[in-house]
Amino acid sequence: MAQHLTEKDVRRIAEYARIGLTDEELVQMTVDLNNVIDTLKPITEFDLEGVEPTFHPIGDLSNVMREDVEVAGFSQKVALSNAPKQMDGCFLIPSILGEGGDR
């Protein structure tokens, strides 16, 4: 098995991904990642000169969103119709800071 990644490389990757590894896990992860790279090595040996891509995961990409059409919004009366409490045309909500009470 070739050593593609060192323990230092794996430690940096783990820190970047915010994965905590013990020293034992670091050693095992280094071995595992190097084995994965070795397993995928034959893919790099194919002669792909002149081979056109046959698949793209997105396919024939087009805008699938609806047209942006302006429509009338809620009136203030409708917006406040289900509010448990209201005052002066505004929602009245419990205070979460300070002395409490509604604001």
Side-chain angles (χ1 to χ4, degrees), residues 39-90:
T39 302
L40 297 174
K41 178 98 172 96
I43 293 173
T44 65
E45 297 170 2
F46 292 116
D47 179 18
L48 301 176
E49 186 68 33
V51 176
E52 293 294 320
T54 57
F55 171 76
H56 192 278
I58 298 178
D60 187 21
L61 185 62
S62 63
N63 187 0
V64 295
M65 304 297 223
R66 65 171 170 76
E67 290 295 317
D68 191 10
V69 179
E70 186 177 337
V71 295
F74 295 117
S75 68
Q76 185 177 18
K77 181 179 178 181
V78 171
L80 291 170
S81 65
N82 287 321
K85 294 182 181 179
Q86 51 183 298
M87 182 173 73
D88 299 328
C90 298

mmCIF file of all heavy atoms in Angstrom, residues 39-90:
data_model
loop_
_atom_site.group_PDB
_atom_site.id
_atom_site.type_symbol
_atom_site.label_atom_id
_atom_site.label_comp_id
_atom_site.label_asym_id
_atom_site.label_seq_id
_atom_site.Cartn_x
_atom_site.Cartn_y
_atom_site.Cartn_z
ATOM 1 N N THR A 39 -7.735 1.773 -3.873
ATOM 2 C CA THR A 39 -8.834 1.090 -4.546
ATOM 3 C C THR A 39 -9.281 1.861 -5.787
ATOM 4 O O THR A 39 -9.643 1.263 -6.803
ATOM 5 C CB THR A 39 -10.026 0.911 -3.582
ATOM 6 O OG1 THR A 39 -9.594 0.164 -2.445
ATOM 7 C CG2 THR A 39 -11.178 0.201 -4.248
ATOM 8 N N LEU A 40 -9.259 3.180 -5.720
ATOM 9 C CA LEU A 40 -9.711 4.010 -6.843
ATOM 10 C C LEU A 40 -8.612 4.287 -7.874
ATOM 11 O O LEU A 40 -8.887 4.853 -8.920
ATOM 12 C CB LEU A 40 -10.261 5.333 -6.306
ATOM 13 C CG LEU A 40 -11.488 5.215 -5.415
ATOM 14 C CD1 LEU A 40 -11.844 6.568 -4.824
ATOM 15 C CD2 LEU A 40 -12.660 4.643 -6.181
ATOM 16 N N LYS A 41 -7.398 3.895 -7.612
ATOM 17 C CA LYS A 41 -6.269 4.151 -8.514
ATOM 18 C C LYS A 41 -6.505 3.677 -9.943
ATOM 19 O O LYS A 41 -6.162 4.403 -10.883
ATOM 20 C CB LYS A 41 -5.006 3.518 -7.937
ATOM 21 C CG LYS A 41 -3.785 3.663 -8.785
ATOM 22 C CD LYS A 41 -2.943 4.810 -8.312
ATOM 23 C CE LYS A 41 -1.615 4.847 -9.030
ATOM 24 N NZ LYS A 41 -1.609 5.735 -10.159
ATOM 25 N N PRO A 42 -7.087 2.495 -10.188
ATOM 26 C CA PRO A 42 -7.269 2.049 -11.586
ATOM 27 C C PRO A 42 -8.099 3.015 -12.439
ATOM 28 O O PRO A 42 -7.925 3.061 -13.664
ATOM 29 C CB PRO A 42 -7.982 0.703 -11.438
ATOM 30 C CG PRO A 42 -7.593 0.209 -10.092
ATOM 31 C CD PRO A 42 -7.465 1.439 -9.249
ATOM 32 N N ILE A 43 -8.963 3.793 -11.810
ATOM 33 C CA ILE A 43 -9.780 4.740 -12.577
ATOM 34 C C ILE A 43 -8.898 5.754 -13.302
ATOM 35 O O ILE A 43 -9.205 6.182 -14.411
ATOM 36 C CB ILE A 43 -10.781 5.459 -11.647
ATOM 37 C CG1 ILE A 43 -11.806 4.466 -11.120
ATOM 38 C CG2 ILE A 43 -11.464 6.616 -12.347
ATOM 39 C CD1 ILE A 43 -12.738 5.039 -10.077
ATOM 40 N N THR A 44 -7.783 6.124 -12.698
ATOM 41 C CA THR A 44 -6.910 7.130 -13.297
ATOM 42 C C THR A 44 -6.118 6.583 -14.480
ATOM 43 O O THR A 44 -5.507 7.360 -15.217
ATOM 44 C CB THR A 44 -5.919 7.683 -12.255
ATOM 45 O OG1 THR A 44 -5.046 6.629 -11.830
ATOM 46 C CG2 THR A 44 -6.657 8.283 -11.067
ATOM 47 N N GLU A 45 -6.139 5.278 -14.696
ATOM 48 C CA GLU A 45 -5.344 4.667 -15.758
ATOM 49 C C GLU A 45 -6.104 4.484 -17.067
ATOM 50 O O GLU A 45 -5.524 4.068 -18.064
ATOM 51 C CB GLU A 45 -4.800 3.325 -15.263
ATOM 52 C CG GLU A 45 -3.861 3.495 -14.078
ATOM 53 C CD GLU A 45 -3.483 2.180 -13.415
ATOM 54 O OE1 GLU A 45 -3.919 1.109 -13.891
ATOM 55 O OE2 GLU A 45 -2.755 2.228 -12.409
ATOM 56 N N PHE A 46 -7.387 4.810 -17.103
ATOM 57 C CA PHE A 46 -8.158 4.683 -18.334
ATOM 58 C C PHE A 46 -7.773 5.791 -19.308
ATOM 59 O O PHE A 46 -7.587 6.939 -18.935
ATOM 60 C CB PHE A 46 -9.668 4.759 -18.061
ATOM 61 C CG PHE A 46 -10.205 3.580 -17.308
ATOM 62 C CD1 PHE A 46 -10.740 3.738 -16.050
ATOM 63 C CD2 PHE A 46 -10.166 2.312 -17.858
ATOM 64 C CE1 PHE A 46 -11.239 2.665 -15.345
ATOM 65 C CE2 PHE A 46 -10.652 1.224 -17.169
ATOM 66 C CZ PHE A 46 -11.190 1.394 -15.905
ATOM 67 N N ASP A 47 -7.680 5.425 -20.600
ATOM 68 C CA ASP A 47 -7.407 6.403 -21.640
ATOM 69 C C ASP A 47 -8.738 7.025 -22.060
ATOM 70 O O ASP A 47 -9.558 6.381 -22.717
ATOM 71 C CB ASP A 47 -6.739 5.733 -22.845
ATOM 72 C CG ASP A 47 -6.462 6.714 -23.960
ATOM 73 O OD1 ASP A 47 -6.453 7.934 -23.713
ATOM 74 O OD2 ASP A 47 -6.266 6.252 -25.102
ATOM 75 N N LEU A 48 -8.953 8.251 -21.693
ATOM 76 C CA LEU A 48 -10.212 8.929 -21.977
ATOM 77 C C LEU A 48 -10.056 10.032 -23.018
ATOM 78 O O LEU A 48 -10.951 10.861 -23.180
ATOM 79 C CB LEU A 48 -10.784 9.507 -20.679
ATOM 80 C CG LEU A 48 -11.068 8.493 -19.571
ATOM 81 C CD1 LEU A 48 -11.537 9.198 -18.311
ATOM 82 C CD2 LEU A 48 -12.090 7.476 -20.034
ATOM 83 N N GLU A 49 -8.960 10.019 -23.731
ATOM 84 C CA GLU A 49 -8.723 11.024 -24.760
ATOM 85 C C GLU A 49 -9.813 10.951 -25.826
ATOM 86 O O GLU A 49 -10.066 9.899 -26.403
ATOM 87 C CB GLU A 49 -7.349 10.800 -25.406
ATOM 88 C CG GLU A 49 -6.953 11.864 -26.391
ATOM 89 C CD GLU A 49 -6.695 13.207 -25.724
ATOM 90 O OE1 GLU A 49 -6.211 13.217 -24.574
ATOM 91 O OE2 GLU A 49 -6.987 14.231 -26.345
ATOM 92 N N GLY A 50 -10.504 12.060 -26.046
ATOM 93 C CA GLY A 50 -11.539 12.137 -27.070
ATOM 94 C C GLY A 50 -12.888 11.572 -26.667
ATOM 95 O O GLY A 50 -13.815 11.551 -27.471
ATOM 96 N N VAL A 51 -13.035 11.105 -25.434
ATOM 97 C CA VAL A 51 -14.307 10.557 -24.978
ATOM 98 C C VAL A 51 -15.174 11.706 -24.476
ATOM 99 O O VAL A 51 -14.788 12.459 -23.589
ATOM 100 C CB VAL A 51 -14.099 9.512 -23.854
ATOM 101 C CG1 VAL A 51 -15.434 9.031 -23.322
ATOM 102 C CG2 VAL A 51 -13.247 8.368 -24.349
ATOM 103 N N GLU A 52 -16.345 11.853 -25.076
ATOM 104 C CA GLU A 52 -17.273 12.905 -24.674
ATOM 105 C C GLU A 52 -18.068 12.452 -23.451
ATOM 106 O O GLU A 52 -18.419 11.277 -23.344
ATOM 107 C CB GLU A 52 -18.237 13.222 -25.817
ATOM 108 C CG GLU A 52 -17.571 13.847 -27.022
ATOM 109 C CD GLU A 52 -17.020 15.229 -26.719
ATOM 110 O OE1 GLU A 52 -17.684 15.991 -26.004
ATOM 111 O OE2 GLU A 52 -15.913 15.522 -27.190
ATOM 112 N N PRO A 53 -18.397 13.371 -22.559
ATOM 113 C CA PRO A 53 -19.241 13.012 -21.417
ATOM 114 C C PRO A 53 -20.602 12.516 -21.910
ATOM 115 O O PRO A 53 -21.154 13.051 -22.872
ATOM 116 C CB PRO A 53 -19.399 14.319 -20.648
ATOM 117 C CG PRO A 53 -18.320 15.210 -21.147
ATOM 118 C CD PRO A 53 -17.986 14.770 -22.520
ATOM 119 N N THR A 54 -21.134 11.480 -21.253
ATOM 120 C CA THR A 54 -22.420 10.931 -21.681
ATOM 121 C C THR A 54 -23.533 11.223 -20.693
ATOM 122 O O THR A 54 -24.676 10.905 -20.943
ATOM 123 C CB THR A 54 -22.317 9.400 -21.846
ATOM 124 O OG1 THR A 54 -21.893 8.831 -20.612
ATOM 125 C CG2 THR A 54 -21.344 9.044 -22.941
ATOM 126 N N PHE A 55 -23.180 11.836 -19.567
ATOM 127 C CA PHE A 55 -24.192 12.062 -18.542
ATOM 128 C C PHE A 55 -23.816 13.281 -17.731
ATOM 129 O O PHE A 55 -22.652 13.514 -17.432
ATOM 130 C CB PHE A 55 -24.291 10.848 -17.613
ATOM 131 C CG PHE A 55 -25.153 11.087 -16.398
ATOM 132 C CD1 PHE A 55 -26.523 11.098 -16.515
ATOM 133 C CD2 PHE A 55 -24.589 11.330 -15.170
ATOM 134 C CE1 PHE A 55 -27.321 11.331 -15.406
ATOM 135 C CE2 PHE A 55 -25.385 11.561 -14.057
ATOM 136 C CZ PHE A 55 -26.757 11.566 -14.176
ATOM 137 N N HIS A 56 -24.809 14.059 -17.399
ATOM 138 C CA HIS A 56 -24.615 15.164 -16.480
ATOM 139 C C HIS A 56 -25.712 15.076 -15.434
ATOM 140 O O HIS A 56 -26.879 14.919 -15.774
ATOM 141 C CB HIS A 56 -24.688 16.511 -17.208
ATOM 142 C CG HIS A 56 -24.220 17.639 -16.359
ATOM 143 N ND1 HIS A 56 -25.022 18.252 -15.433
ATOM 144 C CD2 HIS A 56 -23.015 18.255 -16.266
ATOM 145 C CE1 HIS A 56 -24.343 19.207 -14.815
ATOM 146 N NE2 HIS A 56 -23.127 19.237 -15.302
ATOM 147 N N PRO A 57 -25.370 15.141 -14.147
ATOM 148 C CA PRO A 57 -26.375 14.915 -13.102
ATOM 149 C C PRO A 57 -27.539 15.902 -13.129
ATOM 150 O O PRO A 57 -28.631 15.585 -12.689
ATOM 151 C CB PRO A 57 -25.592 15.027 -11.802
ATOM 152 C CG PRO A 57 -24.340 15.727 -12.150
ATOM 153 C CD PRO A 57 -24.060 15.423 -13.583
ATOM 154 N N ILE A 58 -27.325 17.077 -13.667
ATOM 155 C CA ILE A 58 -28.399 18.062 -13.700
ATOM 156 C C ILE A 58 -29.240 17.908 -14.963
ATOM 157 O O ILE A 58 -30.393 18.299 -15.016
ATOM 158 C CB ILE A 58 -27.836 19.489 -13.563
ATOM 159 C CG1 ILE A 58 -27.132 19.630 -12.219
ATOM 160 C CG2 ILE A 58 -28.931 20.531 -13.696
ATOM 161 C CD1 ILE A 58 -26.486 20.965 -11.981
ATOM 162 N N GLY A 59 -28.685 17.299 -15.991
ATOM 163 C CA GLY A 59 -29.446 17.087 -17.217
ATOM 164 C C GLY A 59 -29.652 18.380 -17.978
ATOM 165 O O GLY A 59 -28.817 19.276 -17.961
ATOM 166 N N ASP A 60 -30.779 18.476 -18.653
ATOM 167 C CA ASP A 60 -31.100 19.660 -19.438
ATOM 168 C C ASP A 60 -31.639 20.735 -18.496
ATOM 169 O O ASP A 60 -32.836 20.846 -18.274
ATOM 170 C CB ASP A 60 -32.132 19.311 -20.519
ATOM 171 C CG ASP A 60 -32.372 20.472 -21.468
ATOM 172 O OD1 ASP A 60 -31.501 21.358 -21.549
ATOM 173 O OD2 ASP A 60 -33.430 20.491 -22.128
ATOM 174 N N LEU A 61 -30.728 21.495 -17.931
ATOM 175 C CA LEU A 61 -31.082 22.473 -16.920
ATOM 176 C C LEU A 61 -31.877 23.619 -17.528
ATOM 177 O O LEU A 61 -31.501 24.184 -18.540
ATOM 178 C CB LEU A 61 -29.817 23.016 -16.256
ATOM 179 C CG LEU A 61 -30.007 23.976 -15.092
ATOM 180 C CD1 LEU A 61 -30.740 23.279 -13.957
ATOM 181 C CD2 LEU A 61 -28.666 24.472 -14.602
ATOM 182 N N SER A 62 -32.996 23.917 -16.923
ATOM 183 C CA SER A 62 -33.783 25.071 -17.336
ATOM 184 C C SER A 62 -34.424 25.674 -16.096
ATOM 185 O O SER A 62 -34.487 25.049 -15.046
ATOM 186 C CB SER A 62 -34.859 24.658 -18.342
ATOM 187 O OG SER A 62 -35.766 23.764 -17.734
ATOM 188 N N ASN A 63 -34.908 26.880 -16.233
ATOM 189 C CA ASN A 63 -35.523 27.557 -15.098
ATOM 190 C C ASN A 63 -36.860 26.897 -14.798
ATOM 191 O O ASN A 63 -37.768 26.921 -15.630
ATOM 192 C CB ASN A 63 -35.709 29.042 -15.402
ATOM 193 C CG ASN A 63 -36.182 29.806 -14.200
ATOM 194 O OD1 ASN A 63 -36.378 29.249 -13.125
ATOM 195 N ND2 ASN A 63 -36.360 31.092 -14.368
ATOM 196 N N VAL A 64 -36.986 26.318 -13.626
ATOM 197 C CA VAL A 64 -38.214 25.623 -13.256
ATOM 198 C C VAL A 64 -39.081 26.461 -12.338
ATOM 199 O O VAL A 64 -40.095 25.990 -11.843
ATOM 200 C CB VAL A 64 -37.906 24.266 -12.581
ATOM 201 C CG1 VAL A 64 -37.226 23.328 -13.544
ATOM 202 C CG2 VAL A 64 -37.062 24.465 -11.335
ATOM 203 N N MET A 65 -38.703 27.706 -12.125
ATOM 204 C CA MET A 65 -39.465 28.582 -11.259
ATOM 205 C C MET A 65 -40.593 29.243 -12.049
ATOM 206 O O MET A 65 -40.490 29.444 -13.242
ATOM 207 C CB MET A 65 -38.576 29.665 -10.662
ATOM 208 C CG MET A 65 -37.391 29.098 -9.909
ATOM 209 S SD MET A 65 -37.946 28.136 -8.520
ATOM 210 C CE MET A 65 -36.822 28.656 -7.302
ATOM 211 N N ARG A 66 -41.634 29.598 -11.359
ATOM 212 C CA ARG A 66 -42.742 30.297 -11.999
ATOM 213 C C ARG A 66 -42.328 31.738 -12.282
ATOM 214 O O ARG A 66 -41.364 32.245 -11.734
ATOM 215 C CB ARG A 66 -43.982 30.251 -11.110
ATOM 216 C CG ARG A 66 -43.824 31.001 -9.794
ATOM 217 C CD ARG A 66 -45.146 31.104 -9.043
ATOM 218 N NE ARG A 66 -44.998 31.606 -7.712
ATOM 219 C CZ ARG A 66 -44.782 32.865 -7.390
ATOM 220 N NH1 ARG A 66 -44.686 33.781 -8.321
ATOM 221 N NH2 ARG A 66 -44.658 33.228 -6.123
ATOM 222 N N GLU A 67 -43.076 32.384 -13.113
ATOM 223 C CA GLU A 67 -42.833 33.789 -13.380
ATOM 224 C C GLU A 67 -43.033 34.586 -12.098
ATOM 225 O O GLU A 67 -43.907 34.277 -11.293
ATOM 226 C CB GLU A 67 -43.785 34.297 -14.455
ATOM 227 C CG GLU A 67 -43.488 33.738 -15.838
ATOM 228 C CD GLU A 67 -42.130 34.196 -16.358
ATOM 229 O OE1 GLU A 67 -41.791 35.388 -16.198
ATOM 230 O OE2 GLU A 67 -41.417 33.354 -16.924
ATOM 231 N N ASP A 68 -42.246 35.602 -11.912
ATOM 232 C CA ASP A 68 -42.363 36.447 -10.731
ATOM 233 C C ASP A 68 -43.435 37.502 -11.014
ATOM 234 O O ASP A 68 -43.176 38.518 -11.645
ATOM 235 C CB ASP A 68 -41.028 37.111 -10.430
ATOM 236 C CG ASP A 68 -40.999 37.778 -9.077
ATOM 237 O OD1 ASP A 68 -41.943 37.569 -8.296
ATOM 238 O OD2 ASP A 68 -40.032 38.505 -8.798
ATOM 239 N N VAL A 69 -44.638 37.209 -10.565
ATOM 240 C CA VAL A 69 -45.776 38.075 -10.824
ATOM 241 C C VAL A 69 -46.218 38.699 -9.509
ATOM 242 O O VAL A 69 -46.428 37.999 -8.517
ATOM 243 C CB VAL A 69 -46.946 37.272 -11.448
ATOM 244 C CG1 VAL A 69 -48.146 38.166 -11.685
ATOM 245 C CG2 VAL A 69 -46.493 36.595 -12.731
ATOM 246 N N GLU A 70 -46.369 40.015 -9.519
ATOM 247 C CA GLU A 70 -46.810 40.708 -8.314
ATOM 248 C C GLU A 70 -48.295 40.459 -8.098
ATOM 249 O O GLU A 70 -49.100 40.584 -9.020
ATOM 250 C CB GLU A 70 -46.561 42.204 -8.459
ATOM 251 C CG GLU A 70 -46.846 42.983 -7.212
ATOM 252 C CD GLU A 70 -46.510 44.455 -7.364
ATOM 253 O OE1 GLU A 70 -45.685 44.808 -8.235
ATOM 254 O OE2 GLU A 70 -47.078 45.247 -6.590
ATOM 255 N N VAL A 71 -48.648 40.068 -6.880
ATOM 256 C CA VAL A 71 -50.050 39.852 -6.525
ATOM 257 C C VAL A 71 -50.342 40.651 -5.266
ATOM 258 O O VAL A 71 -49.436 40.984 -4.499
ATOM 259 C CB VAL A 71 -50.369 38.350 -6.293
ATOM 260 C CG1 VAL A 71 -50.200 37.546 -7.564
ATOM 261 C CG2 VAL A 71 -49.516 37.770 -5.189
ATOM 262 N N ALA A 72 -51.600 40.932 -5.070
ATOM 263 C CA ALA A 72 -51.987 41.694 -3.883
ATOM 264 C C ALA A 72 -51.702 40.882 -2.621
ATOM 265 O O ALA A 72 -51.917 39.671 -2.583
ATOM 266 C CB ALA A 72 -53.474 42.037 -3.956
ATOM 267 N N GLY A 73 -51.222 41.561 -1.589
ATOM 268 C CA GLY A 73 -50.933 40.897 -0.319
ATOM 269 C C GLY A 73 -52.155 40.933 0.593
ATOM 270 O O GLY A 73 -53.248 41.322 0.181
ATOM 271 N N PHE A 74 -51.938 40.515 1.823
ATOM 272 C CA PHE A 74 -53.008 40.547 2.813
ATOM 273 C C PHE A 74 -53.297 41.988 3.225
ATOM 274 O O PHE A 74 -52.378 42.807 3.339
ATOM 275 C CB PHE A 74 -52.616 39.778 4.077
ATOM 276 C CG PHE A 74 -52.424 38.310 3.870
ATOM 277 C CD1 PHE A 74 -51.199 37.722 4.084
ATOM 278 C CD2 PHE A 74 -53.487 37.512 3.487
ATOM 279 C CE1 PHE A 74 -51.022 36.373 3.921
ATOM 280 C CE2 PHE A 74 -53.328 36.159 3.323
ATOM 281 C CZ PHE A 74 -52.097 35.575 3.530
ATOM 282 N N SER A 75 -54.526 42.242 3.508
ATOM 283 C CA SER A 75 -54.853 43.529 4.129
ATOM 284 C C SER A 75 -54.452 43.429 5.598
ATOM 285 O O SER A 75 -54.268 42.339 6.146
ATOM 286 C CB SER A 75 -56.348 43.818 4.002
ATOM 287 O OG SER A 75 -57.087 42.908 4.803
ATOM 288 N N GLN A 76 -54.325 44.557 6.247
ATOM 289 C CA GLN A 76 -53.955 44.561 7.666
ATOM 290 C C GLN A 76 -55.017 43.827 8.481
ATOM 291 O O GLN A 76 -54.694 43.061 9.390
ATOM 292 C CB GLN A 76 -53.791 45.991 8.163
ATOM 293 C CG GLN A 76 -53.293 46.076 9.581
ATOM 294 C CD GLN A 76 -53.061 47.510 10.013
ATOM 295 O OE1 GLN A 76 -53.565 48.446 9.411
ATOM 296 N NE2 GLN A 76 -52.287 47.672 11.076
ATOM 297 N N LYS A 77 -56.261 44.010 8.112
ATOM 298 C CA LYS A 77 -57.351 43.357 8.842
ATOM 299 C C LYS A 77 -57.246 41.838 8.733
ATOM 300 O O LYS A 77 -57.380 41.118 9.727
ATOM 301 C CB LYS A 77 -58.706 43.838 8.291
ATOM 302 C CG LYS A 77 -59.896 43.243 8.989
ATOM 303 C CD LYS A 77 -61.188 43.787 8.407
ATOM 304 C CE LYS A 77 -62.382 43.131 9.102
ATOM 305 N NZ LYS A 77 -63.645 43.589 8.562
ATOM 306 N N VAL A 78 -56.977 41.332 7.531
ATOM 307 C CA VAL A 78 -56.848 39.883 7.327
ATOM 308 C C VAL A 78 -55.614 39.365 8.059
ATOM 309 O O VAL A 78 -55.650 38.312 8.701
ATOM 310 C CB VAL A 78 -56.791 39.533 5.823
ATOM 311 C CG1 VAL A 78 -56.444 38.081 5.603
ATOM 312 C CG2 VAL A 78 -58.107 39.888 5.141
ATOM 313 N N ALA A 79 -54.510 40.091 7.975
ATOM 314 C CA ALA A 79 -53.273 39.649 8.629
ATOM 315 C C ALA A 79 -53.457 39.529 10.137
ATOM 316 O O ALA A 79 -52.921 38.615 10.764
ATOM 317 C CB ALA A 79 -52.136 40.608 8.310
ATOM 318 N N LEU A 80 -54.213 40.433 10.727
ATOM 319 C CA LEU A 80 -54.404 40.424 12.174
ATOM 320 C C LEU A 80 -55.601 39.582 12.618
ATOM 321 O O LEU A 80 -55.822 39.421 13.821
ATOM 322 C CB LEU A 80 -54.596 41.856 12.683
ATOM 323 C CG LEU A 80 -53.370 42.757 12.603
ATOM 324 C CD1 LEU A 80 -53.748 44.195 12.909
ATOM 325 C CD2 LEU A 80 -52.286 42.267 13.537
ATOM 326 N N SER A 81 -56.343 39.014 11.684
ATOM 327 C CA SER A 81 -57.584 38.324 12.025
ATOM 328 C C SER A 81 -57.380 37.125 12.950
ATOM 329 O O SER A 81 -58.259 36.801 13.745
ATOM 330 C CB SER A 81 -58.328 37.893 10.766
ATOM 331 O OG SER A 81 -57.576 36.926 10.054
ATOM 332 N N ASN A 82 -56.257 36.450 12.881
ATOM 333 C CA ASN A 82 -56.017 35.280 13.739
ATOM 334 C C ASN A 82 -55.050 35.576 14.881
ATOM 335 O O ASN A 82 -54.649 34.667 15.602
ATOM 336 C CB ASN A 82 -55.489 34.107 12.915
ATOM 337 C CG ASN A 82 -56.559 33.487 12.064
ATOM 338 O OD1 ASN A 82 -57.699 33.359 12.501
ATOM 339 N ND2 ASN A 82 -56.204 33.105 10.849
ATOM 340 N N ALA A 83 -54.650 36.832 15.021
ATOM 341 C CA ALA A 83 -53.717 37.185 16.087
ATOM 342 C C ALA A 83 -54.414 37.063 17.437
ATOM 343 O O ALA A 83 -55.494 37.597 17.622
ATOM 344 C CB ALA A 83 -53.204 38.601 15.888
ATOM 345 N N PRO A 84 -53.821 36.346 18.394
ATOM 346 C CA PRO A 84 -54.453 36.226 19.701
ATOM 347 C C PRO A 84 -54.574 37.570 20.407
ATOM 348 O O PRO A 84 -55.527 37.814 21.132
ATOM 349 C CB PRO A 84 -53.547 35.279 20.481
ATOM 350 C CG PRO A 84 -52.359 35.018 19.650
ATOM 351 C CD PRO A 84 -52.580 35.595 18.303
ATOM 352 N N LYS A 85 -53.592 38.455 20.179
ATOM 353 C CA LYS A 85 -53.636 39.786 20.777
ATOM 354 C C LYS A 85 -53.143 40.793 19.745
ATOM 355 O O LYS A 85 -52.223 40.506 18.972
ATOM 356 C CB LYS A 85 -52.747 39.874 22.017
ATOM 357 C CG LYS A 85 -53.201 39.028 23.173
ATOM 358 C CD LYS A 85 -52.266 39.245 24.359
ATOM 359 C CE LYS A 85 -52.686 38.391 25.545
ATOM 360 N NZ LYS A 85 -51.766 38.583 26.679
ATOM 361 N N GLN A 86 -53.757 41.974 19.767
ATOM 362 C CA GLN A 86 -53.316 43.046 18.882
ATOM 363 C C GLN A 86 -53.563 44.385 19.550
ATOM 364 O O GLN A 86 -54.389 44.501 20.457
ATOM 365 C CB GLN A 86 -54.037 42.969 17.539
ATOM 366 C CG GLN A 86 -55.544 42.875 17.633
ATOM 367 C CD GLN A 86 -56.190 42.736 16.272
ATOM 368 O OE1 GLN A 86 -56.055 43.640 15.468
ATOM 369 N NE2 GLN A 86 -56.853 41.617 16.040
ATOM 370 N N MET A 87 -52.791 45.372 19.102
ATOM 371 C CA MET A 87 -52.951 46.702 19.673
ATOM 372 C C MET A 87 -52.536 47.731 18.615
ATOM 373 O O MET A 87 -51.464 47.595 18.001
ATOM 374 C CB MET A 87 -52.071 46.867 20.907
ATOM 375 C CG MET A 87 -52.217 48.226 21.583
ATOM 376 S SD MET A 87 -51.326 48.348 23.154
ATOM 377 C CE MET A 87 -49.640 48.427 22.604
ATOM 378 N N ASP A 88 -53.370 48.693 18.367
ATOM 379 C CA ASP A 88 -53.101 49.773 17.414
ATOM 380 C C ASP A 88 -52.722 49.235 16.037
ATOM 381 O O ASP A 88 -51.808 49.746 15.383
ATOM 382 C CB ASP A 88 -51.999 50.701 17.934
ATOM 383 C CG ASP A 88 -52.368 51.382 19.244
ATOM 384 O OD1 ASP A 88 -53.580 51.645 19.444
ATOM 385 O OD2 ASP A 88 -51.457 51.643 20.055
ATOM 386 N N GLY A 89 -53.383 48.164 15.589
ATOM 387 C CA GLY A 89 -53.125 47.609 14.263
ATOM 388 C C GLY A 89 -51.844 46.808 14.154
ATOM 389 O O GLY A 89 -51.349 46.555 13.056
ATOM 390 N N CYS A 90 -51.276 46.384 15.270
ATOM 391 C CA CYS A 90 -50.032 45.604 15.274
ATOM 392 C C CYS A 90 -50.235 44.330 16.093
ATOM 393 O O CYS A 90 -51.109 44.261 16.949
ATOM 394 C CB CYS A 90 -48.894 46.411 15.904
ATOM 395 S SG CYS A 90 -48.493 47.915 15.015
#
